[in-house]
């Protein structure tokens, strides 16, 4: 018991005496301190005293579509840290191929009486996917925030401005003299990819080509190979992972990046400065977006409410070594 008190006290940043008062239901402890102690108890995996078990834990679900793309762990780090600072315990739910489907995660989170849910991708990002399972959250009046573009299922969105992102990438390649530009995008019903292409159609003044792919490096390699064989000298990719697949495609075709083919990614995820060559990419403001998502969620939890609108955040083009002047045609 003494060890448990010490661990909980350290985690909550209070004295062992304060932890004891909370666990024994005594008065003289502020609600904020009481919440911090109970959250620390949950995080450390200790069982609450019987008289406190009926209370809803201040749990918040964070649902990620995958962990292989480093942008999602980066977002998770921001969101979980921000939640902890606000006195909430994050419950990470990462989907995998053949693993737990999103609808089952929602059921599990509801069973654990979560206070809210942040989605960083999922079925809402695909126009043709099943969206009925979100209804359970609506019916419960559950506070929810969704990160990045998706189908309108009635919840607030925090998104990178896809139109600005593609305009920055396309403008960069055009300024380097590239006239035939290829787009390595997600599936046809992938909403962020769809918005990028819709924006491109409004301002593109050169020839551009499109290949659809899943979000894996190998599928991107195949898609990029087709674009290069069709004459594309500049490639804009829907993620950094896809961009790395595009670089691999160029090299397997005996071409140099950027002398023969320029590649632009999207995200500016970890280690993109360490690739060969360092990747030119459009940076998502992940830290700002993650904190905004938590602020919006907590406002809902505390009763302020939120309109199901979309907050757009402007991305930033980061120029590195994977882009260069268009090759001179003989």
């Amino acid at each position: 018991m003494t060890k448990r008190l010490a661990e909980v006290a350290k985690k909550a940043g209070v004295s062992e005496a304060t932890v004891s008062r909370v666990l024994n239901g005594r008065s003289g402890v502020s609600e904020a301190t009481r919440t911090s102690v109970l959250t620390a108890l949950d995080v450390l995996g200790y069982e609450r005293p019987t008289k406190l078990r009926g209370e809803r834990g201040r749990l918040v679900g964070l649902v990620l579509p995958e962990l292989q793309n480093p942008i999602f762990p980066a977002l998770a780090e921001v969101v979980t840290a921000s939640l902890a600072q606000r006195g909430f315990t994050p419950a990470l739910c990462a989907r995998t191929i053949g693993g737990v489907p999103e609808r089952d995660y929602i059921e599990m989170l509801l069973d654990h009486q979560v206070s809210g849910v942040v989605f960083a991708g999922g079925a809402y990002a695909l126009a043709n996917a099943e969206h009925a399972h979100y209804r359970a959250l609506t019916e419960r009046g559950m506070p929810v925030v969704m990160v990045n573009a998706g189908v309108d299922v009635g919840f607030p969105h925090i998104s990178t401005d896809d139109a600005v992102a593609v305009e920055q990438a396309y403008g960069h390649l055009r300024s380097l003299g590239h006239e035939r530009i290829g787009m390595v995008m997600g599936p046809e019903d992938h909403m962020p990819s769809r918005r990028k292409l819709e924006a491109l159609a409004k301002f593109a003044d050169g020839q551009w080509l499109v290949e659809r792919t899943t979000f894996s490096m190998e599928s991107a390699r195949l898609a990029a190979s087709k674009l290069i064989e069709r004459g594309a000298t500049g490639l804009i990719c829907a993620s950094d992972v896809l961009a790395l697949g595009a670089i691999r495609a160029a090299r397997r075709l005996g071409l140099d990046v950027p002398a023969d083919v320029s590649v632009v990614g999207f995200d500016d995820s970890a280690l993109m400065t360490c690739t060969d060559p360092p990747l030119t990419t459009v940076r998502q403001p992940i830290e700002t977006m993650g904190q905004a998502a938590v602020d919006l969620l907590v406002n809902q939890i505390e009763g302020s409410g939120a309109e199901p609108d979309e907050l757009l955040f402007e991305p930033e083009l980061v120029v590195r070594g994977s882009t260069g002047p268009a090759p001179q045609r003989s």
Side-chain angles (χ1 to χ4, degrees):
M1 174 64 78
T2 301
K3 179 183 177 182
R4 183 178 74 164
L5 286 176
E7 288 182 350
V8 174
K10 182 178 180 181
K11 188 73 174 177
V14 299
S15 68
E16 292 182 32
T18 298
V19 174
S20 179
R21 295 183 73 85
V22 171
L23 297 183
N24 289 294
R26 296 175 185 164
S27 59
V29 181
S30 71
E31 187 59 33
T33 299
R34 187 169 176 277
T35 297
S36 295
V37 170
L38 293 178
T39 299
L41 203 69
D42 294 337
V43 170
L44 292 170
Y46 290 123
E47 193 170 294
R48 293 188 180 199
T50 303
K51 56 189 172 185
L52 300 178
R53 289 178 197 168
E55 297 186 13
R56 171 181 288 195
R58 285 168 63 88
L59 292 172
V60 168
L62 173 58
V63 182
L64 304 177
E66 58 165 310
L67 290 175
Q68 291 184 336
N69 185 336
I71 199 65
F72 293 116
L75 178 65
E77 184 176 6
V78 174
V79 171
T80 55
S82 186
L83 284 170
Q85 290 173 357
R86 305 291 288 270
F88 291 90
T89 305
L92 181 63
C93 302
R95 297 171 59 215
T96 58
I97 296 176
V100 178
E102 189 175 64
R103 64 178 180 276
D104 289 353
Y105 271 137
I106 289 177
E107 290 179 6
M108 286 190 289
L109 290 171
L110 291 176
D111 287 343
H112 282 80
Q113 294 186 302
V114 293
S115 299
V117 184
V118 175
F119 288 90
Y124 71 90
L126 300 172
N128 299 333
E130 175 60 49
H131 303 128
H133 53 280
Y134 296 120
R135 193 175 302 123
L137 298 171
T138 303
E139 292 172 350
R140 293 281 192 97
M142 180 66 63
V144 172
V145 175
M146 293 177 162
V147 179
N148 277 329
V151 177
D152 184 6
V153 289
F155 300 117
H157 277 76
I158 300 286
S159 301
T160 300
D161 193 323
D162 291 301
V164 171
V166 75
E167 185 173 5
Q168 290 177 346
Y170 183 82
H172 174 59
L173 290 177
R174 290 289 287 160
S175 72
L176 293 170
H178 294 274
E179 296 180 355
R180 199 163 174 81
I181 295 171
M183 308 289 292
V184 182
M185 294 287 113
E188 190 169 351
D189 68 333
H190 181 244
M191 296 302 292
S193 294
R194 180 180 291 185
R195 297 209 309 188
K196 288 180 176 69
L197 291 173
E198 288 174 351
L200 181 65
K202 294 178 181 178
F203 63 76
D205 57 354
Q207 291 182 304
W208 50 282
L209 309 164
V210 181
E211 284 290 337
R212 305 281 189 173
T213 181
T214 59
F215 283 90
S216 72
M217 195 178 298
E218 181 58 20
S219 65
R221 183 190 68 79
L222 294 173
S225 296
K226 293 178 182 178
L227 291 170
I228 294 170
E229 289 168 352
R230 293 167 64 187
T233 62
L235 301 176
I236 298 173
C237 304
S239 76
D240 290 341
V241 172
L242 298 189
L244 296 180
I247 292 174
R248 180 179 294 179
R251 287 179 172 160
R252 288 202 181 179
L253 291 170
L255 301 174
D256 181 79
V257 178
D260 300 308
V261 179
S262 288
V263 178
V264 181
F266 179 76
D267 284 336
D268 195 29
S269 45
L271 305 180
M272 290 305 106
T273 59
C274 304
T275 59
D276 180 24
L279 186 67
T280 294
T281 187
V282 179
R283 176 183 293 160
Q284 291 201 72
I286 287 299
E287 184 167 348
T288 304
M289 291 172 64
Q291 291 174 350
V294 171
D295 289 343
L296 190 56
L297 187 78
V298 172
N299 286 342
Q300 293 180 69
I301 292 171
E302 294 178 348
S304 299
E307 294 297 322
D309 298 326
E310 182 177 37
L311 300 180
L312 291 177
F313 289 78
E314 186 161 332
E316 176 189 1
L317 177 70
V318 182
V319 179
R320 300 192 182 106
S322 66
T323 52
Q328 297 297 314
R329 297 187 182 276
S330 55

